[in-house]
Amino acid sequence: MWNNLPSDLLSNVFSYLPPHSLARAMVTCRHWHDCARSTTSRHQHPPWFVALPTRARNLCFVHNPIESTWHLLGLKHVPSLTRPVSTIPGHGLILFKSTGSVPLQLSVCDPFTSRFRHLPQLRKPRTNPAVGVIEDCPSQFNVYVAGGMCKAASSGAASYEPTLEMFDSRSKNWTITGSMPIEFAVRLTVWTPNESVYSRGVLYWMTSARAYSIMGFDMSSNKWKELSVPMGDTLEFAAMVPRDGKLAVIGGTHGVNVLVWELGEDDKWNVIERMPVELGKRFVGGSTKCVGIEGGVCLYKEIAKEMVVWRKDRNHKNKWEWYSIEGCNQISGKRLENYPIKGLFLHPNLACSSSFF
Amino acid sequence: MAEFNETDQTPTVDPKTPNLGDSTTSSQPKPEQITTIDVAVPIPDVGPQLQVVVEEFILKSGSDDEEVRTAATNELRDFIEHEEIGITTLLVVVKYAHEVKNVDLLDAFCERVADLIKDKKVVEVREIFGIVNDFTPGEEQALRYEHPWAFED
């Protein structure tokens, strides 16, 4: 009967389940619980938007895209003086970094299971480097740190660190894997971008404010390049988005014009989409932010304000649709503050099979 | 790919114990004629329509031509999407696909089973699949508490 099917068979069935259904499968009986715990999701379901209040470190809002519901998770182990910078989306992890002028300390947190772990110290401790992530496969991820400032041991004078370091989640070690011209080290340090996109063998970072531009590190040739961002000095908000393995940029001027560009093979930008004007009215005035992941983009302000999502249609794989999502102003009947938030995307990982922790 | 074994006797079609060796003849397998893995494992009784669909799929999935295999997978998924397949039958097919190690057949039916679990409540899933809850009330409560967001309805 269904109670005692071979574990690998049940795990195969469960690999097709969205997160809330998987969580419920875990409660049906012991055998299903054990199989669900060792399931590797196929990630066929839309990613979840995660909203972290910038001033309430232990709270984490998550939006279930299938049921269109908001939930509040408590983050128990996140230390003070850290802030979220990006995610390792396929593994369901949030990447945190230390704040202040101390050498960078990175850590990862799984908001659904409250597991938390510091990454080891960098080979070359530095302050304010750029941070990037590449996920090659479900069982491994790499974190990259580029640029930053280093204190020379003898003189105590600080200088820009023109190296790139990589953390391998399997060996759990940092290694120095590349270098850069000093101008890139300076720009990566000054702008300290935390969101990266890996496309066609290049790891891209974008400056965090106007005038937007992009720096890219070609992994195989070890060369750096610079790309201009379309309308880079007019855009008021912008973010990079991976789109079917290609690099895209979404950006806009407040309330009026939100466009999406995709980088072609010749490193030229093409406009591929324009946000419908009615949706844009939500973003007039005030600071709009955006964040992207393979399969979706979200434009947002504070937690209680309406958000706009541009996402792959569940039923028609090649179509993308614009949706608006109501913000979250109450949980279980209790009214909440309208927190300013940092928005991120990830795929919840309920299996304890992640060997990283 | 299953081999076609020439025998002296005229091949007979026996609807009760089908042989998946090939689509042109159906005959009782004789021990000395069995040469490949899948040939020896007959598909259990899943009703005539589904049986034909599965047999055809297994045959085509062994093809060297990728287009044939892709078309077969699409046809199978189409069939699964539009036909009502009972839960007991699904159990039989899924176990069978697992046993004969046909990955595409297994994946297609596993996804169908997942469709029956998706978006349902725990008690509904237990009822549909005839699952007996072997957790104590305390254990179940603790598990629900691990992911309260999944149980908020």
Side-chain angles (χ1 to χ4, degrees):
Chain A
M1 288 311 293
W2 293 100
N3 263 57
N4 43 29
L5 280 184
S7 304
D8 54 340
L9 202 161
L10 266 182
S11 284
N12 193 346
V13 171
F14 294 157
S15 71
Y16 292 99
L17 292 178
H20 57 281
S21 299
L22 186 64
R24 293 173 195 171
M26 282 189 202
V27 176
T28 52
C29 66
R30 284 183 200 280
H31 184 56
W32 277 39
H33 173 266
D34 297 341
C35 295
R37 274 266 204 253
S38 49
T39 290
T40 307
S41 171
R42 288 171 195 254
H43 294 330
Q44 287 184 335
H45 302 286
W48 287 44
F49 179 72
V50 170
L52 294 146
T54 52
R55 280 180 244 129
R57 175 173 37 88
N58 294 313
L59 298 182
C60 177
F61 290 90
V62 297
H63 184 257
N64 183 337
I66 297 177
E67 318 245 273
S68 205
T69 47
W70 283 99
H71 305 275
L72 184 58
L73 305 176
L75 299 181
K76 284 180 264 183
H77 306 294
V78 176
S80 49
L81 301 178
T82 57
R83 62 183 180 88
V85 293
S86 66
T87 57
I88 304 168
H91 288 73
L93 300 173
I94 303 176
L95 189 60
F96 281 84
K97 77 171 185 188
S98 50
T99 52
S101 50
V102 291
L104 183 80
Q105 163 81 72
L106 291 172
S107 27
V108 292
C109 172
D110 178 342
F112 289 92
T113 60
S114 253
R115 289 175 299 175
F116 185 90
R117 182 178 175 149
H118 286 300
L119 266 58
Q121 290 296 328
L122 296 172
R123 285 249 161 255
K124 289 215 139 206
R126 51 190 94 194
T127 55
N128 298 319
V131 179
V133 172
I134 297 183
E135 284 183 288
D136 255 338
C137 56
S139 54
Q140 195 227 1
F141 61 85
N142 291 82
V143 179
Y144 292 84
V145 152
M149 292 201 84
C150 237
K151 266 209 170 76
S154 47
S155 62
S159 62
Y160 290 100
E161 178 56 45
T163 59
L164 178 84
E165 276 187 56
M166 177 192 84
F167 175 80
D168 182 326
S169 69
R170 274 195 288 226
S171 67
K172 301 194 174 45
N173 274 328
W174 289 95
T175 37
I176 305 220
T177 52
S179 62
M180 64 198 71
I182 206 77
E183 315 87 75
F184 280 93
V186 172
R187 296 181 67 226
L188 289 164
T189 311
V190 165
W191 292 109
T192 326
N194 296 310
E195 275 149 37
S196 61
V197 167
Y198 181 62
S199 161
R200 295 187 182 133
V202 180
L203 185 57
Y204 293 99
W205 278 285
M206 187 167 77
T207 53
S208 21
R210 197 167 59 186
Y212 291 100
S213 70
I214 290 178
M215 291 158 278
F217 179 64
D218 187 321
M219 295 275 161
S220 47
S221 69
N222 265 292
K223 290 212 162 66
W224 288 83
K225 63 177 176 179
E226 227 184 297
L227 289 174
S228 60
V229 168
M231 293 171 56
D233 42 10
T234 346
L235 293 177
E236 276 155 347
F237 55 88
M240 292 189 300
V241 183
R243 203 166 171 269
D244 296 324
K246 291 171 276 192
L247 175 66
V249 164
I250 182 167
T253 53
H254 283 130
V256 183
N257 230 355
V258 176
L259 293 164
V260 185
W261 295 266
E262 202 172 76
L263 191 68
E265 298 228 1
D266 50 358
D267 273 5
K268 293 221 159 61
W269 296 98
N270 305 302
V271 177
I272 56 165
E273 184 73 14
R274 181 182 295 268
M275 182 165 88
V277 173
E278 325 81 68
L279 291 177
K281 296 197 178 120
R282 288 155 180 75
F283 300 110
V284 177
S287 59
T288 302
K289 300 186 217 166
C290 45
V291 64
I293 188 178
E294 191 62 78
V297 170
C298 181
L299 289 104
Y300 63 96
K301 292 173 122 171
E302 301 87 21
I303 186 71
K305 296 267 168 71
E306 223 170 349
M307 308 184 189
V308 171
V309 165
W310 187 48
R311 189 170 75 206
K312 247 190 187 158
D313 194 303
R314 284 177 79 190
N315 301 313
H316 304 103
K317 288 282 149 78
N318 290 323
K319 269 188 72 187
W320 284 57
E321 297 270 319
W322 291 91
Y323 300 88
S324 75
I325 306 181
E326 264 182 52
C328 180
N329 58 10
Q330 56 99 18
I331 289 273
S332 310
K334 255 177 69 181
R335 264 213 109 68
L336 293 173
E337 215 184 291
N338 187 18
Y339 297 105
I341 50 174
K342 164 84 178 165
L344 298 166
F345 271 111
L346 50 70
H347 290 276
N349 174 24
L350 304 183
C352 281
S353 60
S354 167
S355 59
F356 182 67
F357 290 96
Chain B
M1 237 340 241
E3 310 236 327
F4 178 80
N5 296 302
E6 292 269 280
T7 63
D8 286 330
Q9 58 183 142
T10 323
T12 52
V13 178
D14 187 325
K16 291 215 188 72
T17 53
N19 181 344
L20 278 172
D22 53 68
S23 59
T24 52
T25 67
S26 278
S27 55
Q28 300 275 7
K30 293 203 175 113
E32 60 269 20
Q33 289 176 341
I34 294 168
T35 49
T36 58
I37 321 163
D38 327 44
V39 173
V41 186
I43 184 168
D45 182 18
V46 292
Q49 202 186 14
L50 185 56
Q51 182 184 301
V52 166
V53 168
V54 172
E55 283 178 10
E56 255 199 51
F57 177 79
I58 293 193
L59 191 70
K60 290 185 185 160
S61 67
S63 162
D64 288 325
D65 189 339
E66 196 187 320
E67 270 182 45
V68 171
R69 293 200 303 271
T70 313
T73 306
N74 291 336
E75 260 177 64
L76 179 70
R77 283 178 178 268
D78 245 349
F79 177 83
I80 295 174
E81 206 177 304
H82 295 106
E83 291 299 317
E84 280 280 333
I85 305 174
I87 193 90
T88 343
T89 309
L90 269 180
L91 179 62
V92 169
V93 180
V94 136
K95 275 165 93 165
Y96 174 78
H98 185 249
E99 220 181 301
V100 301
K101 301 190 189 346
N102 188 312
V103 173
D104 293 319
L105 183 70
L106 183 61
D107 283 353
F109 280 98
C110 279
E111 191 165 0
R112 179 79 190 98
V113 175
D115 283 343
L116 294 178
I117 302 174
K118 242 186 257 189
D119 302 334
K120 299 225 171 57
K121 298 189 181 163
V122 175
V123 287
E124 290 170 341
V125 173
R126 284 191 189 130
E127 204 183 306
I128 293 172
F129 289 87
I131 293 174
V132 174
N133 180 9
D134 52 357
F135 286 119
T136 67
E139 284 171 338
E140 182 172 336
Q141 212 27 51
L143 281 176
R144 283 170 179 265
Y145 200 63
E146 248 181 63
H147 300 295
W149 49 271
F151 303 98
E152 264 164 36
D153 53 358

